[in-house]
Amino acid sequence: MTPEDAVLAACEAALSDRDVVTDPDRLPTYQRDRSTGSPAGEPFAVVFPRSTEQVSAVLAAAHEHRVPVVPRGAGSGLSGGSNAIDGSLIVCVEKMRDVLLVDDGNGFVETQPGIYNTELREHVAQSGLWYAPDPASKDFCSIGGNVNTNAGGLCCVKYGVTRDAVLGLEVVLADGRITRLGRKTIKGVAGYDLTGLMVGSEGTLGIVTMARLRLGPIPAPPTTVVGVFSDVGEAGQAVSTIMNRLRPSMLELMDNASISAVEAWQPMGLDTSAGALLIGQFDSPGSASDAKVLSEICEQSGAQETYVSEDPQEAEMLVGARRMVIPALESAGDWLLDDVAVPRTQLARTMVQIQEVAERHDVQIATFGHAGDGNLHPTIVTPRGDDEAAGRALTAFDEILDVALANGGTVTGEHGIGLLKREALAKEIDEIQMDLHSRIKEALDPRNILNPGKALARW
């Protein structure tokens, strides 16, 4: 019996027949995530556990027989982190969708990992509570994936990223052992922060089977401010001043290429002559006065026009336009999405340099993102099937990473390293940090079965 056959037999013993898939016609559905430009191998099976105990049985068998395991949620990732590798077993948690507990007295929820972000938000809203992290993909990304990548979102400029919301986790380790990390209290410093370590580890250290997430009150309807700029650099320069004086609940940016792509894909009256839009929101008392100050800052920074809206439908349309950028660009051609973050004071310089990269390599780059965090998503669009243009796009992609590092930033703000940026990671962290990463990986996964080849160049 081969190692794969032995693991498959263990999976069939622990899971129902319908939750173990080897049909070659179905396997490609779970072979890769949403990223482009990342390689994917051939798995021998996909399993769909429904409980922590089933995950434990699967990992125990994989560990015993040294079979690689690729954890997977909804597959909405953008770095190749859940792509299959040859001879791997895909462990997909999409059927682990139960909300286990809503503790309104202590302000947290416990949930299985397969539930979508929006579904969890709607569930806790029935108790008058709110889960803050809201990736642009919130309607089709899972909580487990959010934890694995430390996902951000449009509201994280005020409310923080996923790690800021995680109080505790239930995790199945590589050898099948089950542990609970973290706490139920707001404060707690007992032991190392293993919960924080697990968040953002991209499935290389364990499989999350329960997340305990901090909740808060539902915010008031926001006041929305839009600044229309002729130049993307001016919009970037306005951001630092805004963030030094105000606390918006959202501060998003779209450049001309992003605006034009959305308007072409789904017309809604956006000004396609604008060089950039800044979209800010405030959801606290005093929003009207804050909105006025933001408008003044935009005007002082060179905005051609600013306007304020308290109308919920108009606000949703504007924010919806920002959320539509990726599908709009996806419809326009072959696309390669980058994810970098820089100090806010370097935002304007970075965006100008990204435009220079586009000109240098004769590719279209649409830049949008979470301006208040300095987190940008430059997306390279090329004609479909044009291999020569695709090659130029890959070169431009790598140059954008170098631009971010040269400006004191990071090669990934929220999408993760995955497969796309393993080599770039070595440019950002030094040899000592790389050694520490390797030691942690070896301590938790000594046989290197959990998502091997992802996140760390040396594993």
Side-chain angles (χ1 to χ4, degrees):
M1 180 180 291
T2 67
E4 292 79 6
D5 287 338
V7 170
L8 198 55
C11 292
E12 290 170 343
L15 282 68
S16 68
D17 290 344
R18 67 183 184 278
D19 292 336
V20 179
V21 174
T22 58
D23 183 346
D25 292 333
R26 291 184 61 189
L27 293 181
T29 303
Y30 298 92
Q31 192 171 2
R32 59 171 59 251
D33 65 12
R34 200 177 172 213
S35 65
T36 57
S38 59
E42 299 283 346
F44 69 88
V46 181
V47 296
F48 301 89
R50 297 171 185 262
S51 69
T52 300
E53 291 70 27
Q54 289 181 336
V55 174
S56 174
V58 170
L59 285 189
H63 182 264
E64 178 183 355
H65 297 284
R66 298 178 182 268
V67 168
V69 170
V70 177
R72 180 185 175 91
S76 63
L78 292 164
S79 67
S82 62
N83 284 12
I85 62 174
D86 287 337
S88 63
L89 174 70
I90 305 293
V91 178
C92 182
V93 298
E94 67 178 29
K95 295 184 179 180
M96 299 180 67
R97 303 174 53 81
D98 292 341
V99 176
L100 306 173
L101 170 68
V102 177
D103 188 327
D104 52 2
N106 290 302
F108 66 77
V109 60
E110 292 182 352
T111 181
Q112 289 186 308
I115 191 170
Y116 288 171
N117 182 291
T118 291
E119 291 175 324
L120 181 70
R121 290 168 137 244
E122 291 173 347
H123 187 99
V124 300
Q126 297 173 25
S127 300
L129 296 167
W130 185 62
Y131 178 63
D134 65 335
S137 56
K138 63 187 176 72
D139 291 340
F140 54 87
C141 66
S142 67
I143 289 297
N146 292 173
V147 171
N148 273 346
T149 58
N150 191 26
L154 279 65
C155 290
C156 63
V157 65
K158 178 177 180 180
Y159 294 102
V161 293
T162 299
R163 181 177 284 115
D164 299 305
V166 175
L167 289 173
L169 299 170
E170 181 179 72
V171 179
V172 181
L173 301 177
D175 59 6
R177 288 180 297 167
I178 301 168
T179 185
R180 287 210 168 192
L181 308 174
R183 60 199 186 279
K184 295 182 179 180
T185 57
I186 300 299
K187 297 171 67 176
V189 293
Y192 296 136
D193 184 7
L194 298 179
T195 308
L197 174 65
M198 200 63 63
V199 177
S201 62
E202 302 187 44
T204 62
L205 302 180
I207 295 183
V208 172
T209 54
M210 184 277 290
R212 184 180 302 118
L213 305 170
R214 188 194 308 264
L215 304 175
I218 298 174
T223 300
T224 303
V225 187
V226 177
V228 183
F229 293 81
S230 60
D231 179 78
V232 71
E234 291 177 347
Q237 289 172 347
V239 171
S240 288
T241 305
I242 292 168
M243 295 304 301
N244 285 340
R245 294 182 57 185
L246 299 168
R247 187 85 185 279
S249 57
M250 182 184 299
L251 187 60
E252 296 291 304
L253 178 143
M254 297 169 62
D255 72 353
N256 176 264
S258 304
I259 298 165
S260 299
V262 171
E263 187 64 20
W265 185 62
Q266 187 163 320
M268 56 179 64
L270 299 177
D271 182 0
T272 56
S273 68
L277 295 181
L278 271 184
I279 305 170
Q281 285 191 338
F282 298 91
D283 61 4
S284 301
S287 289
S289 61
D290 286 341
K292 180 180 179 181
V293 173
L294 193 152
S295 296
E296 292 171 351
I297 292 172
C298 286
E299 291 167 0
Q300 293 164 4
S301 299
Q304 298 172 299
E305 178 187 5
T306 62
Y307 54 93
V308 178
S309 174
E310 295 182 358
D311 180 84
Q313 289 185 330
E314 185 177 20
E316 184 56 34
M317 182 201 76
L318 291 165
V319 176
R322 162 60 186 88
R323 294 189 188 276
M324 290 176 190
V325 177
I326 291 180
L329 294 173
E330 192 174 9
S331 73
D334 290 335
W335 60 291
L336 185 60
L337 185 146
D338 219 326
D339 161 49
V340 296
V342 296
R344 290 192 297 261
T345 54
Q346 297 298 312
L347 199 61
R349 176 185 176 89
T350 300
M351 289 189 292
V352 170
Q353 291 178 340
I354 289 171
Q355 288 183 328
E356 293 170 354
V357 170
E359 294 167 5
R360 190 156 53 244
H361 296 287
D362 189 25
V363 292
Q364 179 188 4
I365 301 180
T367 300
F368 59 97
H370 316 301
D373 298 314
N375 186 190
L376 298 173
H377 298 311
T379 302
I380 307 165
V381 181
T382 56
R384 294 195 192 283
D386 188 332
D387 292 339
E388 195 273 334
R392 297 199 311 273
L394 287 171
T395 302
F397 182 94
D398 290 338
E399 279 197 25
I400 291 170
L401 304 182
D402 292 337
V403 166
L405 292 174
N407 287 313
T410 176
V411 298
T412 177
E414 59 184 1
H415 293 169
I417 295 295
L419 287 170
L420 282 177
K421 299 185 177 181
R422 289 178 300 168
E423 301 307 317
L425 179 66
K427 296 181 180 180
E428 180 170 336
I429 66 175
D430 62 23
E431 285 292 323
I432 296 174
Q433 291 183 71
M434 190 67 77
D435 179 62
L436 291 173
H437 279 73
S438 298
R439 288 171 182 265
I440 291 168
K441 170 67 171 172
E442 187 172 12
L444 292 177
D445 182 16
R447 296 187 176 180
N448 191 28
I449 68 162
L450 283 175
N451 227 2
K454 312 290 179 59
L456 293 178
R458 296 180 183 175
W459 287 85

